[in-house]
Amino acid sequence: MTSNFLKMKLNFQKFNNSTLYHKTILRILDHSYISSLIKDPLVINQLEEEILEHNLVFIDWNFVVDKLNELEQLSIVFKRWDDASKDGFKAFEILIKKFHSFFQNKKEFETELEILYHFSQSIERFEKIWKRYPNQLDIKSFKRLFYQFWQNESLSFLGNPINGIQIMGILETRLLDFDNLIIAGMNEGTLPQSVISNSFIPYDLKKHHDLPTDEDHQAVFAHHFYRLIQRSKNITMIFNGNGEANSNSEKSRYITQLLNELNPAAGHTIESFTYSPDDANSQTKNTGYPSTEKIHEKLDHYFSEKGLSPSALNKLLQCPLDFYYRYILEMKENNQVEENIESSTFGTKIHDVLEDIFRTNFLVKNIPLQAEILRKEKKNLKKKLTEKYLDTFSPEEIKYGQNRLSFEVSLDFLNRFIDGQTAEIEKSKDPIFISQLEFPFKTEMEFETAGKKRKIVLTGLADRIDRVGNLIRIIDYKSGKCDSEKVLIPSEKNGEYDLVKLFDSDKKGYARQLLMYALMYSKSNPEHPNYTAGIISMINLKDWLQNVRTDDESDPKISVELLNQFEEELMARVSLLYSPDFYFEHNPSSKYCEHCNQ
């Protein structure tokens, strides 16, 4: 906690402001000492949620005090110090008094009171030295000197010598017998310790004059060890066999000697265990969950109520275990304050600006896309994009550094997109009408497993659906790169669609997404047989609209035959989840697992 307080002071200098950096203040508020001062712990959670919801990178102290009135007396601890030495000593004095008044006369805080006493002693010694030699200290110097005093403090605890676990060194065990022993650090060089002779007297001269040699020291240590285990009934010896980080992985000579000397006929038994993070050594199995009836109920609820989206399908195919955690158990990623513009936010802002332009100028007015209108809107792109970014970030946060670069890149993408859209309008023989923007697909279907019919809802959100002549185009914008290979439908040698390869390939996520959109559109709009599905990538806008297609087809229109085969394979993959032989296991080749940690 003290480290976080001092780090907070350094952050004032680092960011050249008087507001609280969110990471540091959140760590402090989560500390048990601080949370114990707050009458209602839920208020802390509400404050943290508000910080995350409004993406507050820097927080004013008054904002914190309004929520947590109990901390008002600690203002000098949280605010910027004008004089590190004077304000620092005063802040720690107030902090110690505050905790002492709270901890005293409470039995559960006896340990905390002891720690607080030693902490105050180190602060007092530090302050006495400073008053004797009063010099101006900056935060770094104050922190460095404070730790020199604090690290010299030792906390002694008195235990019952005849009850519980006794922790002691090898020399402390002399003349004591124990029924149960746990000896840690049984590595050669640790037990026994490596002998480094600093004597100027040569070994042979020591032997001649009967002076103690290294062998004598080791013999004395061996005597202590063997005397310790002489009357013990259960002995556990622990050594590190890893050998990483320049550590010695050789087991102690004492273990080798015991393995050779102990006699099983006399009732001595020896068991060896290996504990290792390496699954091959510890013989642990990867985490997996069988498809049980309870999981079937959760799958039914998920498929019928929330629906299977293209991103969920891709997650299932990439790693079933991660799909299980994310969608079946509904485990979410930890929310964090977004200091730098994330790729998801980056793409969202571009989507929002484009949606605003197309909705306001064309969809609402029900007129075709016009190059002249887009050229006028191009002049306002920077203003529109700034407004979208200010919904999440403050003006200062997008002025400098990585956020500034992200803003400029997204502005460049938008400018080039408008140029590409203008060029398409001028080349097109037919007018382009916007039919839908951010259109939510939702289609109910049925499938059968083990003779039982089940319902599944397919869901998705198409960025744009437009019409060129009698052709419907389903379009998805991507801020990442999309090449022709990612939207190519694999084919077999005989020309048939290879849907198994489509579902098994981790490079075909975009193609699967577009075919799901096309499948949902065909179910909802059977009267429109002519449609395509494609992606406009902001990275390679020169390729413009990249439609999902097959090897031997120049026509990008999606055939009924392709959709039927895609639907059949999709239902087969979903049905497989209900098989008693199916396990939700981690896929070792998956690179983007959120929850597996494997």
Side-chain angles (χ1 to χ4, degrees):
M1 182 182 67
T2 306
S3 175
N4 285 324
F5 277 127
L6 293 174
K7 191 172 184 179
M8 183 169 57
K9 306 307 173 186
L10 292 172
N11 285 335
F12 289 141
Q13 294 181 348
K14 178 181 178 181
F15 299 111
N16 193 28
N17 60 30
S18 299
T19 53
L20 304 170
Y21 184 51
H22 72 281
K23 286 184 178 179
T24 312
I25 188 63
L26 288 177
R27 287 195 205 102
I28 292 173
L29 293 178
D30 285 336
H31 196 279
S32 58
Y33 285 11
I34 295 295
S35 59
S36 64
L37 300 176
I38 309 302
K39 294 179 181 178
D40 185 4
L42 292 178
V43 179
I44 297 180
N45 296 335
Q46 293 170 1
L47 175 63
E48 292 178 351
E49 289 174 3
E50 195 166 345
I51 291 172
L52 294 172
E53 182 182 351
H54 295 92
N55 202 62
L56 301 177
V57 179
F58 295 99
I59 303 139
D60 188 82
W61 169 241
N62 293 326
F63 174 78
V64 177
V65 172
D66 288 341
K67 308 290 182 181
L68 307 173
N69 299 323
E70 295 89 343
L71 299 182
E72 188 171 5
Q73 297 177 4
L74 301 179
S75 293
I76 191 173
V77 179
F78 287 89
K79 288 185 176 181
R80 187 168 187 161
W81 293 343
D82 297 323
D83 187 329
S85 48
K86 292 181 180 179
D87 292 340
F89 291 125
K90 186 176 180 182
F92 279 121
E93 180 185 353
I94 293 174
L95 191 65
I96 291 168
K97 287 181 178 179
K98 182 71 173 177
F99 285 131
H100 182 266
S101 63
F102 180 80
F103 292 151
Q104 66 179 349
N105 301 325
K106 295 180 181 178
K107 190 174 182 180
E108 66 271 23
F109 290 114
E110 287 181 352
T111 303
E112 283 77 4
L113 276 172
E114 187 70 18
I115 295 172
L116 193 63
Y117 169 74
H118 286 272
F119 181 78
S120 64
Q121 291 291 100
S122 65
I123 289 291
E124 285 179 13
R125 282 195 295 272
F126 180 17
E127 188 173 8
K128 285 179 182 178
I129 296 296
W130 176 78
K131 286 181 177 178
R132 188 181 303 172
Y133 307 101
N135 290 302
Q136 185 72 26
L137 300 177
D138 58 17
I139 299 295
K140 289 184 178 179
S141 300
F142 184 89
K143 179 181 178 181
R144 192 177 297 113
L145 291 171
F146 161 74
Y147 278 122
Q148 287 183 10
F149 285 93
W150 177 230
Q151 288 169 357
N152 289 329
E153 286 292 327
S154 60
L155 200 61
S156 300
F157 292 95
L158 299 177
N160 189 337
I162 61 172
N163 186 30
I165 295 177
Q166 309 298 317
I167 301 175
M168 55 184 67
I170 196 78
L171 296 180
E172 296 176 274
T173 65
R174 290 174 296 179
L175 301 179
L176 296 176
D177 293 325
F178 299 92
D179 288 337
N180 301 290
L181 280 174
I182 301 174
I183 308 176
M186 288 288 290
N187 283 87
E188 191 65 27
T190 304
L191 199 70
Q193 290 183 340
S194 299
V195 178
I196 302 175
S197 179
N198 294 321
S199 175
F200 290 105
I201 303 175
Y203 175 81
D204 292 338
L205 197 57
K206 287 182 178 181
K207 292 288 288 184
H208 179 74
H209 292 284
D210 292 328
L211 296 175
T213 61
D214 295 345
E215 287 89 346
D216 296 319
H217 291 297
Q218 293 186 5
V220 170
F221 201 88
H223 168 76
H224 292 319
F225 174 77
Y226 277 94
R227 203 226 58 78
L228 170 65
I229 66 174
Q230 185 177 7
R231 295 182 178 86
S232 297
K233 296 177 181 178
N234 300 295
I235 305 171
T236 301
M237 300 181 186
I238 304 170
F239 71 93
N240 178 18
N242 196 350
E244 293 183 354
N246 299 321
S247 63
N248 187 2
S249 61
E250 183 183 358
K251 63 186 176 184
S252 171
R253 69 187 74 172
Y254 296 152
I255 296 178
T256 305
Q257 290 169 5
L258 289 172
L259 290 173
N260 291 316
E261 293 172 357
L262 293 181
N263 183 10
H268 299 148
T269 58
I270 302 174
E271 292 182 284
S272 297
F273 302 94
T274 299
Y275 299 93
S276 171
D278 185 355
D279 291 332
N281 291 337
S282 59
Q283 298 181 345
T284 60
K285 295 182 179 179
N286 289 332
T287 303
Y289 301 94
S291 184
T292 62
E293 286 298 326
K294 287 188 176 181
I295 290 181
H296 295 173
E297 293 175 6
K298 289 181 177 292
L299 286 170
D300 288 341
H301 175 76
Y302 171 71
F303 286 141
S304 61
E305 299 298 327
K306 297 187 177 180
L308 181 68
S309 65
S311 58
L313 173 64
N314 286 331
K315 179 65 70 178
L316 172 63
L317 298 175
Q318 289 167 4
C319 180
L321 181 60
D322 207 38
F323 170 85
Y324 175 79
Y325 287 142
R326 174 68 178 83
Y327 294 99
I328 305 305
L329 297 186
E330 300 184 8
M331 292 173 58
K332 308 293 184 183
E333 286 188 287
N334 290 331
N335 291 330
Q336 293 182 338
V337 174
E338 191 174 338
E339 293 182 69
N340 297 318
I341 298 170
E342 301 288 345
S343 56
S344 57
T345 305
F346 176 85
T348 300
K349 300 306 179 185
I350 294 174
H351 280 61
D352 291 345
V353 172
L354 292 177
E355 181 189 0
D356 183 61
I357 291 173
F358 286 117
R359 185 179 298 279
T360 305
N361 294 286
F362 307 110
L363 181 61
V364 174
K365 297 178 180 179
N366 195 26
I367 61 174
L369 299 186
Q370 297 178 19
E372 189 61 32
I373 294 177
L374 290 178
R375 290 191 185 98
K376 290 180 180 178
E377 286 290 349
K378 186 179 177 181
K379 299 176 182 178
N380 300 320
L381 282 178
K382 187 172 184 178
K383 179 183 177 182
K384 289 179 178 292
L385 185 62
T386 301
E387 290 174 353
K388 299 300 180 184
Y389 271 107
L390 290 180
D391 291 339
T392 308
F393 301 95
S394 68
E396 291 296 321
E397 289 169 352
I398 59 174
K399 278 186 178 180
Y400 310 103
Q402 183 180 334
N403 288 352
R404 178 69 181 187
L405 292 175
S406 297
F407 177 87
E408 294 296 337
V409 170
S410 55
L411 181 60
D412 178 64
F413 282 172
L414 286 169
N415 277 301
R416 293 195 293 118
F417 181 93
I418 296 299
D419 291 341
Q421 185 65 79
T422 303
E424 183 190 35
I425 294 169
E426 293 174 342
K427 289 179 183 179
S428 178
K429 296 178 181 178
D430 296 311
I432 303 173
F433 284 89
I434 299 291
S435 302
Q436 299 286 349
L437 292 172
E438 299 296 323
F439 180 71
F441 283 116
K442 188 173 183 179
T443 302
E444 290 189 9
M445 302 174 65
E446 284 188 347
F447 65 99
E448 187 173 323
T449 59
K452 182 179 180 180
K453 287 188 177 182
R454 302 178 187 271
K455 186 178 77 170
I456 183 172
V457 176
L458 302 184
T459 63
L461 189 68
D463 292 329
R464 166 177 157 184
I465 300 176
D466 63 24
R467 176 171 54 84
V468 184
N470 65 346
L471 179 67
I472 301 297
R473 303 190 307 179
I474 304 168
I475 299 175
D476 199 60
Y477 303 138
K478 296 293 182 186
S479 56
K481 185 176 182 180
C482 175
D483 52 41
S484 59
E485 183 63 28
K486 292 182 178 179
V487 293
L488 188 67
I489 305 297
S491 298
E492 298 178 352
K493 292 183 179 180
N494 59 5
E496 296 291 329
Y497 304 124
D498 191 349
L499 273 300
V500 173
K501 187 175 181 180
L502 173 71
F503 275 77
D504 289 340
S505 175
D506 60 351
K507 297 181 180 179
K508 300 297 182 181
Y510 287 167
R512 293 190 293 264
Q513 177 185 0
L514 294 174
L515 286 178
M516 273 194 75
Y517 285 162
L519 177 62
M520 289 185 282
Y521 183 83
S522 68
K523 297 289 185 181
S524 305
N525 302 274
E527 70 277 8
H528 296 300
N530 298 322
Y531 47 86
T532 63
I535 284 173
I536 298 179
S537 168
M538 300 295 166
I539 296 291
N540 46 324
L541 282 166
K542 57 180 175 47
D543 297 327
W544 197 236
L545 182 60
Q546 301 180 73
N547 289 302
V548 63
R549 59 185 179 82
T550 58
D551 288 325
D552 56 352
E553 285 183 342
S554 57
D555 187 358
K557 285 188 289 187
I558 298 173
S559 66
V560 176
E561 180 187 2
L562 173 59
L563 281 186
N564 288 338
Q565 292 185 28
F566 177 79
E567 180 182 351
E568 183 180 343
E569 184 64 26
L570 175 61
M571 293 300 105
R573 298 296 175 118
V574 171
S575 299
L576 185 62
L577 302 182
Y578 291 86
S579 170
D581 299 327
F582 184 83
Y583 266 73
F584 291 91
E585 293 180 310
H586 173 66
N587 178 10
S589 62
S590 178
K591 301 176 182 178
Y592 305 107
C593 290
E594 297 174 9
H595 305 287
C596 289
N597 293 324
Q598 297 189 37

